[in-house]
Amino acid sequence: FFVKHCSVERFLRRQQEGYTAFVMDGDVIPVVMQRGLEPWINPHEDLVFYEREWSPEVAAGNYIARNSAFSRAVLRYWADFEQLTPSYPIFTGHDNGALHAVIAVVLNLPCAAQLIRLFTGLP
């Protein structure tokens, strides 16, 4: 799971600044539509995630990453979070669970340290 975000970070390093990548899970079925993905590109946003419709969870599988130092740093931090993720058989949500802790740290939320303690301390 985490290697995908490391691979995206490495890919972006080889692209020009501002390049935009749409990252999708392998189980996403692309379709040809009259509209493209352009409406979701904002040159002022480095990373775009979405919240699942049926739960208050930010999805990790599909996202938009604009090549910037900020995006690459966040993707690297997220990929490195694998080292802090408890091992099986504990259900952690893997990269999806870690993403919530990463977002809390990146946004400097007051709960970030507690969230990381809770996530990494799963029995």
Side-chain angles (χ1 to χ4, degrees), residues 30-85:
V31 295
V32 177
M33 300 177 67
Q34 294 294 331
R35 65 175 185 216
L37 297 172
E38 293 81 10
W40 285 273
I41 298 175
N42 182 330
H44 306 292
E45 296 172 348
D46 292 321
L47 288 167
V48 178
F49 297 95
Y50 67 94
E51 185 177 332
R52 295 186 193 277
E53 188 172 324
W54 62 87
S55 71
E57 173 187 36
V58 179
N62 310 306
Y63 55 92
I64 300 170
R66 187 175 66 80
N67 189 18
S68 68
F70 174 80
S71 293
R72 293 189 308 271
V74 171
L75 290 168
R76 172 58 56 195
Y77 179 66
W78 187 14
D80 290 345
F81 216 86
E82 181 176 26
Q83 306 307 314
L84 301 174
T85 302

Side-chain angles (χ1 to χ4, degrees), residues 4-16:
K4 175 172 116 177
H5 315 302
C6 178
S7 298
V8 172
E9 187 270 339
R10 287 182 178 179
F11 172 78
L12 288 176
R13 268 193 267 157
R14 296 188 312 267
Q15 308 308 312
Q16 67 184 32

